[in-house]
Amino acid sequence: PPGCASWHSRSCTPTTANISHDSPMEKYSEPHIIDLPCIRDPRGNLTFVQNGDSRLPFDIARVYWTYDVPAGEERGSHAHHQGQELIVALSGSFNVELFDGVATRTFTLNRPFQGLYVPPGLWRTLDNFSSGSVCMVLTSVPYDEADYIRDYDEFIALSLGKNKDKE
Ligand code: TYD
């Protein structure tokens, strides 16, 4: 769906939902914006997402959200081995930078009826949080520190290995 037609917001970087057939993670889609249902109402708009929804590429195992992020702060700066995510700007705006070891893509999230799908294996950094912004993340796995790659050099080494496999 087009979402809330009269939503008065800045633009959101458009992408297409291509499958990356040349990737070792070809079972996952590339990062892309997912439009969620938006029920417009004079009493206020409503958006929802639930397991089994064809728009959602995974079943939700966990939800977390960050808020009160001070101006100039960054969150994230890690990658996941397995966990898939849908990142939603419930309020305000922020940028999500995704790095696959070769190229970086930046998405600006500022619409509560859209989510950014993030497959595993990407180094993500969230920054440029507006005052009062709330970042909600739906994930496919319960919290497990073993799923995190927090060391940048380790991430680069892993992504170099994956890119070598492709050759
Ligand atoms: P962290 O991964 O640094 O947050 P982000 O990368 O999204 O900025 O997490 C901060 C702390 O919170 C860290 O000690 C792990 C803990 N945490 C949980 O206990 N459960 C969770 O679901 C998440 C996301 C983090």
Side-chain angles (χ1 to χ4, degrees):
C4 286
S6 67
W7 181 258
H8 54 85
S9 183
R10 289 173 299 279
S11 68
C12 200
T13 309
T15 58
T16 48
N18 296 329
I19 303 291
S20 172
H21 291 294
D22 59 351
S23 161
M25 300 187 306
E26 64 183 17
K27 63 179 173 156
Y28 299 110
S29 299
E30 291 287 329
H32 61 280
I33 297 291
I34 294 176
D35 286 316
L36 300 169
C38 180
I39 301 184
R40 286 186 55 75
D41 192 308
R43 299 171 301 161
N45 300 334
L46 183 151
T47 287
F48 61 93
V49 63
Q50 61 188 347
N51 286 339
D53 188 330
S54 60
R55 297 176 181 91
L56 190 65
F58 58 85
D59 275 351
I60 302 162
R62 178 168 51 108
V63 182
Y64 68 91
W65 49 98
T66 48
Y67 47 94
D68 293 344
V69 179
E73 276 297 344
E74 285 185 357
R75 303 281 324 200
S77 298
H78 58 72
H80 289 285
H81 290 289
Q82 299 291 337
Q84 305 170 71
E85 295 183 339
L86 187 76
I87 304 179
V88 182
L90 283 187
S91 180
S93 67
F94 49 85
N95 290 345
V96 183
E97 194 177 275
L98 300 176
F99 179 56
D100 64 5
V102 178
T104 298
R105 281 199 253 178
T106 302
F107 294 82
T108 299
L109 298 186
N110 55 18
R111 292 171 171 166
F113 53 86
Q114 288 185 328
L116 172 63
Y117 171 71
V118 182
L122 300 180
W123 188 267
R124 93 279 317 280
T125 307
L126 285 74
D127 63 8
N128 205 22
F129 287 89
S130 68
S131 172
S133 59
V134 179
C135 168
M136 178 181 73
V137 184
L138 314 180
T139 86
S140 63
V141 294
Y143 176 73
D144 179 1
E145 191 57 35
D147 190 51
Y148 281 76
I149 307 162
R150 293 193 186 271
D151 184 275
Y152 188 71
D153 292 338
E154 183 189 347
F155 168 76
I156 294 296
L158 284 169
S159 63
L160 281 177
K162 282 176 193 159
N163 288 328
K164 223 177 192 174
D165 288 346
K166 279 197 269 180
E167 291 168 6

